[in-house]
Amino acid sequence: MAAEIHSRPQTARPILLNKIEGHSDTVNSAVLIPKEDGVITVSEDRTIRVWLKRDSGQYWPSIYHTVSSPCSCMSYHHDSRRIFIGQDNGAVVEFLISEDFNKMSHVKTYPAHQNRVSDMVFSLESEWVVSTGHDKSVSWMCTQSGSMLGRHYFTAWASCLQYPSFTLCVVCCQTRSIAALWWDPVQRLLFSGAADHSVIMWDIGGRKGRTLLLQGHHERVQAIRFLQLTRQLLSCSADGGIAVWNMDTQREEAPQWLDSDSCQKCEQPFFWNIKQMWDSKTLGLRQHHCRKCGKAVCGKCSSKRSTFPIMGFEFPVRVCDACFDTIKEEDRTALATFHEGKHNIAHMDMDPSRGLMVTCGSDRIVKIWDMTQVVGCSLATGFSPR
């Protein structure tokens, strides 16, 4: 059912502590139970399971509950032990978990959507459940009365959301290309992970439209989490990549790509510039862009590649020859570390106080990681790995 890994190398990387197996389909969400050696999972196999660590070191399900439809997402509130499950049929089901985590009682079923629930957040302050679904809507429901309070429709189904309860404002993404959101209420920063392999930091609190691009993944970014204490951003991708970004450093915005009919370095025409090609009796060139200055350039004028972490480029990208000469060796110093989770990661949860992370995905495996060597949680919180 589970395998425990005991070795603890001294290199700064995630340490795999446990693997939880037993699901028969994709695990869509997994959360760590605060102050407990436990994990809650929901799956396409229609099960809700609470896994507790036994004296043997293995995790076994203390709760195994089957619902009527595949479970697509989950929101767990530990202080009240209330758990909300989004389902493929559009319903949101509320349960109450007992103090010993051995029993789960049904509370309410909310008819939230007409199709699959894609994401959901519970707010204890307002007693609201806010959810998004494949019926192209976001709905908010009262958990006291069980009634629908409101609904708003989009032109496309919403894939994820964040609900900063202190402003009673919903931050919602209505495009399928964005798979993950995380809201930092302290500095009012919004982080998004997308199908184009990128992570973007949106400086909402600065109110200047400032965005920072972070590129280092090679597949769709599906989970993100910002750690306020250590000023680090964790992001996980579909190919199992785990990135840890240092956000406690001065970063620069990547430039907007400029439009031009000819290379802004050598002035040779691009292939759609028929008039200049005719006048100069030359063939048009393909347009590229320098990632450092944003200018439209031809391949000959942008033959160099370089990393430029200060703009978020952690792997070599195209730069024009002039910009390449301005990049110093210290400018290439990495501002992120990259690690291999060795399984598809569809969802991730982090407990910074213990330095633990849990990942899950379509391979039906749940992995628990010790992240203290990577994110410095032991120094920030006083936690020491067991």
Side-chain angles (χ1 to χ4, degrees):
M1 185 71 70
E4 185 168 4
I5 288 76
H6 294 281
S7 59
R8 287 179 174 272
Q10 296 304 309
T11 54
R13 64 181 181 86
I15 305 300
L16 180 60
L17 299 178
N18 286 90
K19 288 166 61 176
I20 300 175
E21 300 173 285
H23 287 282
S24 60
D25 208 334
T26 299
V27 183
N28 285 319
S29 184
V31 298
L32 294 162
I33 302 175
K35 302 177 182 179
E36 297 283 344
D37 282 326
V39 178
I40 305 174
T41 62
V42 297
S43 170
E44 290 287 335
D45 63 12
R46 301 188 294 115
T47 64
I48 307 164
R49 310 188 198 194
V50 177
W51 306 79
L52 296 181
K53 190 175 183 179
R54 306 305 184 185
D55 293 338
S56 63
Q58 295 182 332
Y59 283 82
W60 293 90
S62 63
I63 294 176
Y64 185 107
H65 185 84
T66 303
V67 292
S68 60
S69 181
C71 305
S72 55
C73 56
M74 162 178 50
S75 180
Y76 172 63
H77 188 266
H78 180 65
D79 290 341
S80 62
R81 299 189 311 282
R82 297 159 75 181
I83 184 170
F84 298 82
I85 309 298
Q87 296 183 267
D88 191 64
N89 61 9
V92 171
V93 185
E94 178 185 355
F95 294 94
L96 180 64
I97 299 178
S98 63
E99 291 186 11
D100 60 4
F101 295 98
N102 285 314
K103 183 180 178 182
M104 190 168 67
S105 304
H106 175 265
V107 179
K108 290 187 183 73
T109 298
Y110 305 85
H113 299 277
Q114 299 299 315
N115 209 323
R116 184 180 179 91
V117 182
S118 53
D119 202 2
M120 173 181 48
V121 177
F122 167 63
S123 169
L124 181 65
E125 292 81 4
S126 59
E127 285 288 348
W128 284 9
V129 173
V130 185
S131 62
T132 60
H134 289 198
D135 59 357
K136 303 179 183 180
S137 74
V138 55
S139 64
W140 48 104
M141 297 154 289
C142 176
T143 57
Q144 294 177 324
S145 64
S147 61
M148 175 76 67
L149 298 177
R151 176 177 286 158
H152 178 77
Y153 284 93
F154 298 118
T155 57
W157 60 263
S159 56
C160 50
L161 66 85
Q162 282 286 287
Y163 181 80
S165 57
F166 69 98
T167 58
L168 294 182
C169 172
V170 175
V171 181
C172 182
C173 161
Q174 61 179 84
T175 171
R176 298 187 186 188
S177 65
I178 296 181
L181 288 175
W182 184 264
W183 172 253
D184 172 33
V186 178
Q187 297 193 32
R188 298 172 66 85
L189 302 175
L190 179 66
F191 298 90
S192 63
D196 64 359
H197 314 167
S198 67
V199 176
I200 297 179
M201 186 201 82
W202 309 81
D203 188 0
I204 308 297
R207 299 185 179 182
K208 295 181 180 179
R210 181 171 178 259
T211 61
L212 294 178
L213 176 67
L214 306 174
Q215 289 193 334
H217 286 284
H218 299 286
E219 279 293 339
R220 177 185 179 93
V221 180
Q222 303 198 118
I224 52 179
R225 175 74 180 263
F226 181 65
L227 305 179
Q228 181 59 236
L229 283 175
T230 59
R231 300 283 299 158
Q232 290 170 299
L233 178 71
L234 271 68
S235 58
C236 301
S237 57
D239 61 353
I242 301 172
V244 182
W245 307 85
N246 177 14
M247 303 305 295
D248 192 23
T249 185
Q250 191 67 31
R251 291 181 177 269
E252 296 179 8
E253 285 188 87
Q256 295 290 325
W257 286 2
L258 302 177
D259 293 324
S260 178
D261 291 328
S262 58
C263 175
Q264 294 181 302
K265 296 294 183 179
C266 68
E267 299 183 350
Q268 290 295 305
F270 293 132
F271 62 84
W272 61 81
N273 191 346
I274 305 298
K275 183 178 185 305
Q276 187 177 346
M277 283 194 297
W278 177 265
D279 292 342
S280 60
K281 301 297 188 291
T282 58
L283 291 175
L285 304 175
R286 183 181 176 186
Q287 177 183 259
H288 301 282
H289 285 91
C290 172
R291 273 35 173 198
K292 187 174 185 294
C293 67
K295 289 184 177 180
V297 290
C298 65
K300 183 179 179 181
C301 293
S302 58
S303 60
K304 306 291 180 63
R305 302 290 185 275
S306 176
T307 61
F308 199 52
I310 196 172
M311 280 188 180
F313 301 114
E314 292 288 339
F315 53 82
V317 292
R318 181 186 298 272
V319 293
C320 66
D321 295 349
C323 285
F324 183 85
D325 293 337
T326 66
I327 301 176
K328 301 176 183 179
E329 193 59 36
E330 55 265 30
D331 295 333
R332 297 185 173 92
T333 302
L335 296 176
T337 59
F338 298 91
H339 312 276
E340 180 55 60
K342 296 183 180 179
H343 77 143
N344 166 268
I345 299 177
H347 185 270
M348 171 264 289
D349 184 43
M350 181 81 186
D351 184 348
S353 66
R354 294 183 288 171
L356 297 179
M357 180 177 74
V358 62
T359 58
C360 63
S362 60
D363 62 356
R364 300 171 291 179
I365 296 176
V366 177
K367 293 186 177 183
I368 302 173
W369 306 85
D370 177 357
M371 297 293 290
T372 55
Q373 295 181 11
V374 179
V375 300
C377 289
S378 59
L379 297 177
T381 66
F383 167 79
S384 58
R386 287 170 293 183

